[in-house]
Amino acid sequence: MRRTTARFATLVIAVQLFAAFPAATAAADDDPFAEARADMVRAVAETTEETAEWLGKTALAPKVMEAMGRVPRHLFVPPDLEDMGYLNRPLPIGYGQTISQPYIVALMTDLLEPEPGDVAFELGTGSSYQAAVLAELVAEVYTVEIVPPLAESAAERLETLGYDNVTVRAGDGYFGWPEHAPFDIIVVTAAASHVPPPLIAQLKPGGRMVIPVGSPFLTQHLLLVEKREDGSVTSRQILPVIFVPLTGGH
Amino acid sequence: MAGEGAQAPSRPGVFIAVALLSAGVLGYEILLARLLAIVHWHHFAYMIIAVALLGFGAAGSLVAVLQGPLLRHFRWTFGGAALGFGAGAPLAFALAQSLPFNALEIAWDRAQPAWLFALYLVLSLPFLSAALALALAFRANAARAGALYRMDLMGAGLGALGMVFLLDALPLADALRVVGVVGAASGGIVLLWGRARRLAQGGAVLAIAAGLALPAALPEHWLRPHPSPYKGLSLALTAPDARIVAERHGPLGWLAAVESPAVPFRHAPGLSLLAPAGPPEQIGLFTDGGAPSAITPADADLRYLEAETAALPYHLVERPRVLVLGAGGGAEVLRALHHHARAVDAVELNPDVLALVREVVAGTAGAGWEEEDVETHVADARSFAARSTERWDLIQIALVDSFSAAAAGVHALDESLLYTVEALGEFIDRLAPGGVLAVTRWLKLPPRDSLKLLWTARRALEARGVADPASRLAMIRGWKTTTLVVGARPFGDVAIARLRAFAAAYAFDLVWHAGLGESDANRHNRLAEPEFYRGAAAILGLDPEGFAARYKFALRSATDDRPFFFHSLKWATLPELLALRAQGGLPLVEWGFVILVATLVQGAIAAAILILLPLLALRTQRSTDTPAPARWRVVLFFASLGLAFLFIEIAFMQRFAVFLGHPLYAIAVVLAGLLVFAGLGAGAIDRLARLAGRWPPITLAAAGIVVGGGAYIGLLPWVFEAAQGWPVSARIAVALALLGPIGFLLGMPFPLGLKALGARAPALVPWAWGINACASVVSASLATFIALHVGFTPVLGCALVLYALAAAVTPWRVRR
């Protein structure tokens, strides 16, 4: 019963996309969601400021925040949730998947330190919001989604929005995308029990990989994997929250 | 009004119908817990059922207010209500699972609490319906309260027992149909008993036929549980061509094996970032739609098993004889074989797991591990170790629960008898000289259960007279798992060098070994601060208490009396975490604990309303009640009994679980046993009254319970230790012999009170019955709450105090 509902929801998204996009692009100047989006970016900035001590910086990279301010997140959520599209919270997108909380997306993107010439790989396209944010900042994004209908709707959505530097594929992303490897940036959003060794192999020396660890609506922490120039691999575990476990500590 | 009790219809059929209905209700409770654990998560299942059971309290209030008309048409009201339960039980579940409640979204979405409330409401209806019939039966037969309560309790006991067997024999949907038919049969007996007008008789027959046919006619997919789309099984099935290739239903859970040819399943928790290769294509194994693990073909490339933290002990012992606790899909068994274990014993609690693995392996090209090198044992890890006289070089506790459940803290209130001071001690006792106990757990940030595990192991070693436990402990961590090793003797330089070499080779971090310095910790999987090392050094240092007091999570070692290994939330930390919601603080909240508190608060508020509301209506009838007991006495008496009975039941289930060696025995023997014995006791209250002479029988019964219960607190550990090694049938016999006398006494106070009340103020009987029901509902979560904070022995102590209190306020101390 649930699966039918989810499928129906996706169908509705697809129909909605056709209906909504011409309007959205035509009315770019007086985008009714512009204010909501600006509020979302402000909320992310405030949250970052609150966690400054923990993250070791008072703000995320300006270009990341600008990208967050450009991507129309409301078009990446199911149409019935459009009004909630800019809330700083995760939302369901069907098939048991979610679109991440904007703060987490911003934090992950910032940790990846994207550069204009970078090539990125993403395992787990989902709503394709993360891919779109990355596409604003890097040269190419290759993204793989297990669930074919999600991959299809993501490809359509990105095309309509003009993200022609993103390539979506449906299938198994465990072995990366050897034709386009190595990658400067890798994001693994599909919940995984481990980091697929082929992805570590396809990470360029000096490259960075980010993995959110947790369950669908609760990101427990972020795993940042770095490959040094000499090929050695280290990781950092970053709690997205200032939380010092010892009272009077830190 | 008062005279109505005397004229109330009393038919022999009612007694049988009450037994059937009670059996149906208790069976439904157990079944719902299973069904909702599949649809949602088990902790939500308990909360939903606990609140829905308040339908019992509501029925008491309803009958208290409307007893006149309801009693006049007793045959129809009882029969209709029982039929309503029969039809409602399957229908309510079907409706409940179609509601869009998403437990994971509850902290984010304002609509979710409303859906949760709708769930409560829907599922409370069958309980309300059944309870209407029961409350009416007690109101109509207060003079024979003992005999009626006997049927009620014995029915409940047999219902619990029957459901354990049904869950083994039938798919869940069919078990639900059986509950429906039992309900309809109960109603049918009352409707057809005795003479009635022909037209009425015809109507009754039609209603019964419909009641019996409905559960059978309901479509399968309404009644089969559909897991939440966010659970592992649902997610796995979103891959193209993924399908369930084998499944097993049993009282311990629903197991499903998933093959996913297009996007193969690969499970290797916490694999090193330096692993040369990942796991081969596997078959996914899901329990209750979640808790993913995997079945790995034994002839595949298994080198990935060398690159997980759990491989550490194989660098400390050579060609070991291995005991795997938690065989599951077989990862630890394969790891042992891959590392050239001399022999492997694999213990698995759930026989269905072994059968399913065998079936899946037979159905695929992959080879199995079952046949030659491995001896499997269906047993609980604790009782296997306690009864064994053998020794192993390596005892490996497998990581069988799921990460997301651990991460979200939903295990917080699972009692785990695997990770307690006593359990680790028993495992250490089974180590050969130079042997190693290894425990792998999910890594949580900030460090919580890994530190708790260290403290638990320290206490276990200290209890064995080890002067320097820190030298026998070592721990490493990857980015997702930690592995603790406990040595039968101190780890020497060679062992430490090997441990360090293994950790360095796979970029695992050192959390603890004797002589480790801070500069060596936190190098590969870096945290902002070396929190694991500092925590470990403090826990194994001179002042663990001082450190724990300053730590924002509870780290105190788990014991059999407080077996809440997964619980680490401190009250004081909760507001801080909730305030950090937007910044990602929510995952640090332990949802199991929050839900327990929520259940308790919701239950207490609803119970208070349900108890107080009928007083408004009952007040007007006061003048007709000749000399009625004070109402506060009625409340205290029946609430105390409701709380205390469940306290004892829960504390005993906990106490006997290790001894009996299987959680199902705890239900079948302790729950069913106590209920049946209590039923026998209830049936003997008239005899007790005769024997008691001038003594109030209630005082005698309560005194017996207090003295007997007190003796049990002291005696049980001693008896358990003496009989632990006996075969299971002998242990069940011992358990029944212990439960018999106290169970017998436990059944007496409630019907004694009800009977006395019925003689003086019959109109108060349904109200009193409702008070008892409300208190029982609150009791379950209250018992867990108390145990969490001070342990199960105090829960038992509280129960005894409550029985004494009940005796002191007996409602027939008449108000003049």
Side-chain angles (χ1 to χ4, degrees), chain B residues 466-658:
Chain B
V466 174
D468 182 16
S471 67
R472 295 202 190 187
L473 296 169
M475 185 183 266
I476 59 167
R477 66 177 166 91
W479 66 271
K480 206 163 185 176
T481 54
T482 62
T483 294
L484 166 76
V485 284
V486 186
R489 56 176 179 234
F491 293 117
D493 292 343
V494 176
I496 288 175
R498 286 181 171 186
L499 178 143
R500 292 178 64 103
F502 170 74
Y506 290 106
F508 295 136
D509 284 285
L510 302 166
V511 174
W512 177 257
H513 66 66
L516 179 69
E518 185 167 312
S519 59
D520 275 355
N522 200 31
R523 296 176 76 158
H524 305 285
N525 304 283
R526 280 174 297 129
L527 305 173
E529 302 285 332
E531 283 165 353
F532 280 91
Y533 168 77
R534 284 183 194 159
I539 290 298
L540 299 177
L542 294 174
D543 184 23
E545 304 277 350
F547 175 79
R550 285 189 299 127
Y551 207 71
K552 286 181 188 167
F553 295 98
L555 302 177
R556 190 176 304 278
S557 50
T559 60
D560 278 0
D561 200 45
R562 282 174 72 181
F564 301 97
F565 175 74
F566 302 104
H567 169 68
S568 57
L569 189 70
K570 279 187 178 175
W571 276 100
T573 311
L574 191 57
E576 185 182 353
L577 293 177
L578 291 176
L580 289 170
R581 189 176 79 138
Q583 293 97 309
L586 286 179
L588 303 182
V589 177
E590 234 166 54
W591 289 104
F593 181 75
V594 173
I595 282 165
L596 173 75
V597 175
T599 309
L600 200 53
V601 171
Q602 295 169 86
I605 292 173
I609 294 172
L610 290 172
I611 291 171
L612 295 177
L613 216 54
L615 282 181
L616 299 176
L618 286 169
R619 182 161 297 161
T620 59
Q621 298 157 11
R622 189 190 288 173
S623 59
T624 61
D625 291 341
T626 47
R631 273 148 215 227
W632 65 267
R633 284 181 185 275
V634 178
V635 172
L636 268 186
F637 180 84
F638 286 99
S640 299
L641 293 186
L643 288 173
F645 191 94
L646 260 282
F647 275 13
I648 289 193
E649 204 174 87
I650 289 169
F652 273 12
M653 285 221 272
Q654 166 63 25
R655 275 279 136 122
F656 282 78
V658 177

Side-chain angles (χ1 to χ4, degrees), chain B residues 764-778:
Chain B
L764 291 185
V765 165
W767 180 59
W769 188 88
I771 293 169
N772 186 262
C774 283
S776 313
V777 172
V778 174

Side-chain angles (χ1 to χ4, degrees), chain B residues 286-562:
Chain B
F286 297 88
T287 306
D288 287 344
S293 61
I295 303 171
T296 311
D299 54 355
D301 179 359
L302 298 179
R303 280 175 302 163
Y304 79 100
L305 291 170
E306 299 165 16
E308 293 173 319
T309 57
L312 168 64
Y314 292 98
H315 295 261
L316 305 176
V317 283
E318 300 226 7
R319 297 221 59 206
R321 182 163 184 240
V322 182
L323 171 63
V324 171
L325 299 176
E332 286 312 325
V333 174
L334 288 177
R335 198 191 314 278
L337 295 175
H338 183 73
H339 287 89
H340 312 292
R342 203 164 72 239
V344 182
D345 286 287
V347 176
E348 171 57 51
L349 180 68
N350 188 351
D352 285 345
V353 170
L354 297 176
L356 189 77
V357 171
R358 218 170 287 140
E359 181 188 331
V360 167
V361 167
T364 59
W369 42 263
E370 282 266 9
E371 315 307 330
E372 298 107 38
D373 323 294
V374 182
E375 194 171 337
T376 50
H377 311 265
V378 175
D380 163 71
R382 280 291 293 278
S383 57
F384 181 84
R387 285 202 312 281
S388 175
T389 52
E390 297 183 50
R391 290 180 183 267
W392 289 269
D393 306 302
L394 170 57
I395 299 179
Q396 179 89 280
I397 302 182
L399 184 58
V400 285
D401 51 339
S402 79
F403 171 75
S404 50
V410 306
H411 280 307
L413 305 172
D414 280 6
E415 298 144 26
S416 170
L417 292 165
L418 201 54
Y419 305 107
T420 65
V421 172
E422 293 86 346
L424 295 188
E426 282 164 20
F427 301 145
I428 291 167
D429 289 344
R430 299 267 56 84
L431 290 176
V436 169
L437 165 69
V439 188
T440 298
R441 290 297 318 156
W442 297 108
L443 178 135
K444 285 192 213 169
L445 290 177
R448 279 164 278 171
D449 37 7
S450 43
L451 298 182
K452 197 165 176 170
L453 184 62
L454 271 173
W455 201 346
T456 307
R458 174 189 176 153
R459 291 263 318 274
L461 286 168
E462 283 170 347
R464 268 142 192 83
V466 174
D468 182 16
S471 67
R472 295 202 190 187
L473 296 169
M475 185 183 266
I476 59 167
R477 66 177 166 91
W479 66 271
K480 206 163 185 176
T481 54
T482 62
T483 294
L484 166 76
V485 284
V486 186
R489 56 176 179 234
F491 293 117
D493 292 343
V494 176
I496 288 175
R498 286 181 171 186
L499 178 143
R500 292 178 64 103
F502 170 74
Y506 290 106
F508 295 136
D509 284 285
L510 302 166
V511 174
W512 177 257
H513 66 66
L516 179 69
E518 185 167 312
S519 59
D520 275 355
N522 200 31
R523 296 176 76 158
H524 305 285
N525 304 283
R526 280 174 297 129
L527 305 173
E529 302 285 332
E531 283 165 353
F532 280 91
Y533 168 77
R534 284 183 194 159
I539 290 298
L540 299 177
L542 294 174
D543 184 23
E545 304 277 350
F547 175 79
R550 285 189 299 127
Y551 207 71
K552 286 181 188 167
F553 295 98
L555 302 177
R556 190 176 304 278
S557 50
T559 60
D560 278 0
D561 200 45
R562 282 174 72 181

Side-chain angles (χ1 to χ4, degrees), chain B residues 11-14 16 75 188-196 201:
Chain B
R11 317 150 190 275
V14 171
I16 301 166
R75 177 196 293 239
I189 288 173
V190 170
L191 284 175
L192 293 180
W193 203 280
R195 279 188 299 170
Q201 204 77 354

Side-chain angles (χ1 to χ4, degrees), chain A residues 50 89 101 235 237 240 245 247, chain B residues 105 479 525-526 552 582-583:
Chain A
E50 289 159 14
R89 55 156 288 187
Q101 185 186 356
S235 71
Q237 276 158 305
T247 47
Chain B
E105 239 185 315
W479 66 271
N525 304 283
R526 280 174 297 129
K552 286 181 188 167
Q583 293 97 309

